[in-house]
Amino acid sequence: MVRRSAWHPILLAVVLAAAPAAAEDAKTLYDRGYLRQAAVLCEQRLAANPKDAEAGAFLARIRAEQGEKDQALKLANAAVAADPKSAEAEYALAEYYGREARSASLLHQAGLAGKMKKASEAALAIDPNHIDALEISSDFYRYAPGIMGGDKKKSVEYVDRMVKADPVAGWLKRAEIAMEGKDKDTVRAAECYRQAAAVEPTSQRAQVALASWLLPRWRDPASAEKLALAAVEAEPWRTGGWQVLAALYAFEERWSDLDDVLKKSEAAEPTHLAPWYTAARQLINTGKEPARAESYLRHYLTVEPEIGSQSWAAARWRLGQVLEAQGKKSEAVAELETAVKLDPKLEDAKKDLKRLRG
């Protein structure tokens, strides 16, 4: 195993030097996962120029991620109207309809899926290599029934186009597909993850994806650790590598290494505490150190979660679980009540609350 001595001597200095180098555009911030910062920048750009299609498109996607459907649709439509030649604007509209189709009734799914397909095709007509539009088109043809235009062969064609446009994204998509359904092809998935890492060795996104795949104890956690350590050294602002290390050290009960990596991850990006939640969840899953898990969750609750990360409601639910494990029933009930209040749709928290109340 790679112990603490494996940390590169300059890593701490790199981490403490701060989060990502200041990203000057919304797309960079969005791609890096800093959606709150991206939203602020988009709002500023739209205030200066209401017809800024790119800013409107990314803000539409962020609002959709937050569940603000009406605003997301309004922003996406405005972006398309402002610049009919913007692939990002058309894709934002396609993504909106795709989200809606997933949760819609059967009566409305066909219409929404059709609108998604039309918008994604418009995006690809503008930019044939738009990776997100290629992916959503592949998903449409893979999941839609034949009567709605579904076609497995066409789905494969779009994934092949992804591989040509962005080899890492394409091979990761192939890995995802290999793991779908009842007949998961783990051999194929492993090949795809390794190919993604090999085709672009400098891509930390690919290295972290491979590390995540290798992380389970029946695969190769030692290699996962090496990959994750290299990833956080190269791009300390990318949270995926930190989360791999947090999960591994929590599982292996390497407490000193775990505390070390959590502190360094926070130094790299103080507003993104996902590794703390990951560590706590791993401890809960294995039934280890509930008091330690409690401290990690309480720390996670000190900073508003990044958009798309685990919510405060989810953290409160998990906190209720570790409090129960320590025999603190009344405190656990209080946390579960808060979790359900924050998110009435959090079914697991509702089940735990009902059980504890007897």
Side-chain angles (χ1 to χ4, degrees), residues 139-207:
D139 288 345
F140 170 82
Y141 286 112
R142 187 162 71 257
Y143 296 125
I147 195 171
M148 288 172 52
D151 184 331
K152 295 293 194 296
K153 290 184 179 179
K154 277 193 175 182
S155 175
V156 173
E157 291 174 5
Y158 278 95
V159 176
D160 290 344
R161 288 175 62 181
M162 287 180 67
V163 172
K164 292 180 181 179
D166 182 338
V168 170
W171 280 104
L172 292 181
K173 188 65 177 179
R174 284 177 173 171
E176 176 191 315
I177 294 170
M179 290 302 292
E180 286 183 341
K182 296 180 179 179
D183 301 322
K184 294 180 173 62
D185 189 342
T186 56
V187 173
R188 172 62 174 165
E191 291 174 353
C192 292
Y193 282 118
R194 293 187 186 283
Q195 187 63 30
V199 75
E200 195 174 324
T202 60
S203 170
Q204 301 312 313
R205 175 180 49 154
Q207 304 304 321

Side-chain angles (χ1 to χ4, degrees), residues 260-288:
D260 218 27
V261 83
L262 292 177
K263 291 176 182 177
K264 286 170 178 168
S265 71
E266 185 173 3
E269 180 42 62
T271 68
H272 211 323
L273 302 185
W276 294 78
Y277 184 94
T278 297
R281 183 177 58 192
Q282 180 63 60
L283 293 175
I284 292 169
N285 290 342
T286 54
K288 300 174 182 176

Side-chain angles (χ1 to χ4, degrees), residues 10-335:
I10 66 170
L11 177 56
L12 182 59
V14 171
V15 169
L16 292 176
E24 297 180 353
D25 64 278
K27 188 177 189 309
T28 299
L29 286 167
Y30 188 94
D31 290 345
R32 289 183 171 187
Y34 296 98
L35 273 61
R36 292 196 185 283
Q37 295 178 43
V40 170
L41 180 57
C42 288
E43 289 170 342
Q44 292 173 346
R45 285 172 53 174
L46 286 170
N49 177 15
K51 293 188 177 182
D52 186 332
E54 183 186 69
F58 281 108
L59 189 56
R61 296 175 66 181
I62 294 168
R63 295 300 181 238
E65 183 69 34
Q66 292 176 296
E68 298 178 15
K69 298 180 180 181
D70 291 344
Q71 189 175 7
L73 180 58
K74 181 179 178 180
L75 284 162
N77 278 322
V80 171
D83 184 0
K85 296 298 182 181
S86 169
E88 293 293 357
E90 290 287 0
Y91 175 73
L93 197 57
E95 186 180 75
Y96 170 84
Y97 287 125
R99 284 177 181 272
E100 289 298 287
R102 286 197 297 270
S103 59
S105 66
L106 290 175
L107 182 64
H108 295 99
Q109 276 184 348
L112 290 166
K115 290 180 179 180
M116 180 195 80
K117 181 173 178 288
K118 180 180 178 181
S120 65
E121 288 176 344
L124 290 172
I126 299 166
D127 178 4
N129 292 325
H130 193 288
I131 200 67
D132 291 326
L134 288 170
E135 181 172 18
I136 205 171
S137 295
S138 169
D139 288 345
F140 170 82
Y141 286 112
R142 187 162 71 257
Y143 296 125
I147 195 171
M148 288 172 52
D151 184 331
K152 295 293 194 296
K153 290 184 179 179
K154 277 193 175 182
S155 175
V156 173
E157 291 174 5
Y158 278 95
V159 176
D160 290 344
R161 288 175 62 181
M162 287 180 67
V163 172
K164 292 180 181 179
D166 182 338
V168 170
W171 280 104
L172 292 181
K173 188 65 177 179
R174 284 177 173 171
E176 176 191 315
I177 294 170
M179 290 302 292
E180 286 183 341
K182 296 180 179 179
D183 301 322
K184 294 180 173 62
D185 189 342
T186 56
V187 173
R188 172 62 174 165
E191 291 174 353
C192 292
Y193 282 118
R194 293 187 186 283
Q195 187 63 30
V199 75
E200 195 174 324
T202 60
S203 170
Q204 301 312 313
R205 175 180 49 154
Q207 304 304 321
V208 169
L210 177 58
S212 298
W213 170 257
L214 294 172
L215 185 59
R217 65 182 184 279
W218 59 86
R219 289 188 183 135
D220 191 354
S223 292
E225 181 178 15
K226 291 177 182 178
L227 287 166
L229 285 168
V232 298
E233 180 176 348
E235 296 180 349
W237 46 263
R238 189 183 293 278
T239 62
W242 297 113
Q243 291 184 71
V244 168
L245 294 171
L248 176 64
Y249 295 158
F251 179 79
E252 294 185 344
E253 302 183 50
R254 292 163 58 178
W255 309 130
S256 179
D257 286 338
L258 177 57
D259 288 339
D260 218 27
V261 83
L262 292 177
K263 291 176 182 177
K264 286 170 178 168
S265 71
E266 185 173 3
E269 180 42 62
T271 68
H272 211 323
L273 302 185
W276 294 78
Y277 184 94
T278 297
R281 183 177 58 192
Q282 180 63 60
L283 293 175
I284 292 169
N285 290 342
T286 54
K288 300 174 182 176
E289 297 280 326
R292 180 182 291 273
E294 177 188 351
S295 70
Y296 293 160
L297 288 168
R298 291 195 184 282
H299 187 71
Y300 183 78
L301 287 162
T302 62
V303 175
E304 186 175 10
E306 179 56 80
I307 298 168
S309 295
Q310 292 293 336
S311 66
W312 271 343
R316 294 286 183 187
W317 163 51
R318 293 295 192 178
L319 183 54
Q321 290 182 317
V322 296
L323 289 168
E324 181 188 2
Q326 296 174 76
K328 302 175 182 178
K329 183 176 178 179
S330 61
E331 293 179 48
V333 168
E335 291 298 337

